[in-house]
Amino acid sequence: MTPIYLLSCNPSTEKQTEEITENEESKYLSKPLVSHVFTADPSAHVFNGKIYIYPSHDVESEIDQDDSGAHFNMRDYHVFSMESIDAEPVDHGVILDVDDVPWAKRQMWAPDAAEKDGKYYFYFPAKDYDDIFRIGVAVADSPTGPFKAEDEPIKGSFSMDPAVFQDGEEYYMYWGGIWGGQLQKWRTGEYVSTGDRPYDDEPEDDEPAIAPMIAKMSDDMLQFAETPRQVLILDKDGEPIKAGDHERRFFEAAWVHKHDGKYYFSYSTGDTHNIAYAIGDNPYGPFTYQGVILQPVEGWTNHHSIVKVDDKWYIFYHDTEISGETHLRNIKMAEMTHNPDGTIQTINPMK
Ligand code: FUB
């Protein structure tokens, strides 16, 4: 019986090394991909035939947990690569630190990356010195960096969770998240905050839910090429999903993949903890709600990416298996299947 050791991610958390024996039945569908640092919000891509994962880097901090996610107080990012889908991820170290971004003050949340003409673009949200989330970009000649951040955030950017989708020659950024992600404070087009509770500034339950955002990227990938638009998520009767429909409404963690000519917009439903999806005919939508891809994971947040590797689809996600703490997460991966009719088989991360 060979022991498997799950090592503490962060010595400061004083977690004990845990010994699990192989004859213990795991309740989880998948194993943590990384265990020497805490990782979350994995954005996976295949660049030049190799898998790269751009996650958040969770850390312990002295900040108390609250509904705005202040305890997610991350300050830098690592990048990981995998030679194949079964390989151990390799940690390429820190690719960007908050101190290297002139406009950013704190909370380096879920990032993404894109490749264009041999250059790599790393997109990341952070709060600026007015405590407003903006989205920045850093550029490198290699997928593993070193990345150099632009001096200013992307003009007209706000909220968080950027995800960049390539459709032929065009690239689109999707973004946004409510509550701590502040998207509800931008309903007028300006930042308006009428209260400190994260759900202040939300629409009434019977009004359309707050929509995620999309903009085409400029040729140099550093700015939006157009005024950002809202992404509509409709029910099967063509009606916008309502704000009170917490099982189905958009909360955060936008991602888009394309399969058989259709565009799949997937996202977290936040306080109901699902990764849901909706299908559309073009990158702008509207997208029609279909169902759940990934049921709730252990931990409050659920955040994913979807990538095709060697003709199979995979969902990268996270949970809190190693730490048991909501803000100290570990990334995972599972195979994902499209049915012949285009719907996606629901995955239970707890088996
Ligand atoms: O990691 C910080 C935040 O938690 C992300 O930006 C959200 O999507 C949620 O996973």
Side-chain angles (χ1 to χ4, degrees):
M1 191 188 320
T2 318
I4 298 168
Y5 293 97
L6 293 182
L7 294 174
S8 162
C9 289
N10 181 341
S12 68
T13 63
E14 304 286 331
K15 295 274 174 227
Q16 295 299 307
T17 299
E18 206 182 317
E19 185 179 306
I20 295 177
T21 52
E22 271 179 355
N23 63 353
E24 273 182 54
E25 178 72 14
S26 170
K27 61 183 179 177
Y28 304 96
L29 174 67
S30 305
K31 290 183 304 191
L33 288 173
V34 172
S35 58
H36 65 287
V37 285
F38 290 115
T39 50
D41 311 322
S43 289
H45 292 275
V46 176
F47 294 139
N48 304 320
K50 197 163 164 176
I51 304 160
Y52 292 90
I53 312 169
Y54 299 86
S56 299
H57 175 199
D58 284 354
V59 284
E60 190 60 278
S61 78
E62 302 301 305
I63 299 187
D64 287 342
Q65 182 161 335
D66 68 14
D67 283 345
S68 75
H71 49 302
F72 294 102
N73 193 26
M74 299 89 103
R75 57 162 300 122
D76 63 20
Y77 297 101
H78 289 227
V79 60
F80 298 83
S81 66
M82 293 164 84
E83 286 294 340
S84 68
I85 201 71
D86 300 320
E88 288 279 312
V90 173
D91 183 356
H92 296 272
V94 173
I95 55 167
L96 192 69
D97 186 284
V98 68
D99 287 346
D100 300 326
V101 185
W103 60 268
K105 182 173 143 203
R106 63 190 180 113
Q107 289 181 283
M108 307 285 266
W109 282 13
D112 193 18
E115 183 273 339
K116 184 180 180 188
D117 299 335
K119 287 223 178 283
Y120 296 84
Y121 299 88
F122 181 70
Y123 298 97
F124 58 96
K127 281 188 179 158
D128 66 13
Y129 283 85
D130 294 321
D131 261 348
I132 295 177
F133 267 117
R134 306 284 180 182
I135 296 170
V137 55
V139 187
D141 292 324
S142 149
T144 56
F147 283 89
K148 168 93 176 69
E150 295 290 292
D151 286 347
E152 300 288 340
I154 293 173
K155 270 193 220 77
S157 70
F158 53 89
S159 197
M160 36 51 104
D161 285 6
V164 174
F165 166 67
Q166 180 181 0
D167 193 27
E169 300 290 300
E170 306 291 357
Y171 294 76
Y172 300 87
M173 182 183 287
Y174 299 83
W175 74 92
I178 62 172
W179 293 19
Q182 301 178 339
L183 187 59
Q184 73 281 4
K185 298 184 185 297
W186 289 92
R187 292 172 66 194
T188 62
E190 303 286 319
Y191 182 86
V192 177
S193 183
T194 61
D196 288 336
R197 294 172 308 172
Y199 31 84
D200 286 334
D201 310 302
E202 277 200 276
E204 297 299 325
D205 280 359
D206 59 353
E207 292 182 312
I210 293 186
M213 305 300 299
I214 179 175
K216 190 184 282 188
M217 299 305 293
S218 57
D219 285 345
D220 65 6
M221 299 290 278
L222 302 179
Q223 301 293 340
F224 299 144
E226 59 186 1
T227 305
R229 310 184 201 180
Q230 296 188 329
V231 176
L232 273 189
I233 304 172
L234 308 176
D235 65 19
K236 289 197 173 150
D237 296 325
E239 292 297 318
I241 301 281
K242 301 285 192 295
D245 186 351
H246 289 212
E247 284 293 331
R248 298 192 296 175
R249 62 97 165 83
F250 173 81
F251 190 98
E252 62 187 5
W255 188 264
V256 169
H257 74 279
K258 192 174 178 181
H259 173 68
D260 276 353
K262 295 282 185 196
Y263 296 79
Y264 288 70
F265 181 85
S266 49
Y267 57 96
S268 169
T269 59
D271 56 339
T272 51
H273 316 289
N274 291 315
I275 298 297
Y277 74 108
I279 298 180
D281 293 326
N282 69 78
Y284 291 100
F287 296 91
T288 303
Y289 181 87
Q290 303 293 322
V292 170
I293 302 177
L294 181 66
Q295 291 173 336
V297 296
E298 196 172 79
W300 200 95
T301 63
N302 202 352
H303 188 126
H304 70 301
S305 63
I306 293 168
V307 63
K308 196 176 194 182
V309 183
D310 299 335
D311 286 334
K312 285 188 175 174
W313 287 97
Y314 297 89
I315 183 165
F316 284 71
Y317 64 101
H318 65 228
D319 68 13
T320 57
E321 176 175 346
I322 293 177
S323 77
E325 305 273 354
T326 269
H327 63 298
L328 300 174
R329 299 160 292 180
N330 48 260
I331 58 170
K332 295 189 163 184
M333 178 266 298
E335 195 175 331
M336 191 190 87
T337 305
H338 296 84
N339 294 312
D341 67 358
T343 57
I344 295 175
Q345 290 180 14
T346 302
I347 297 167
N348 176 1
M350 305 305 284
K351 285 194 174 161

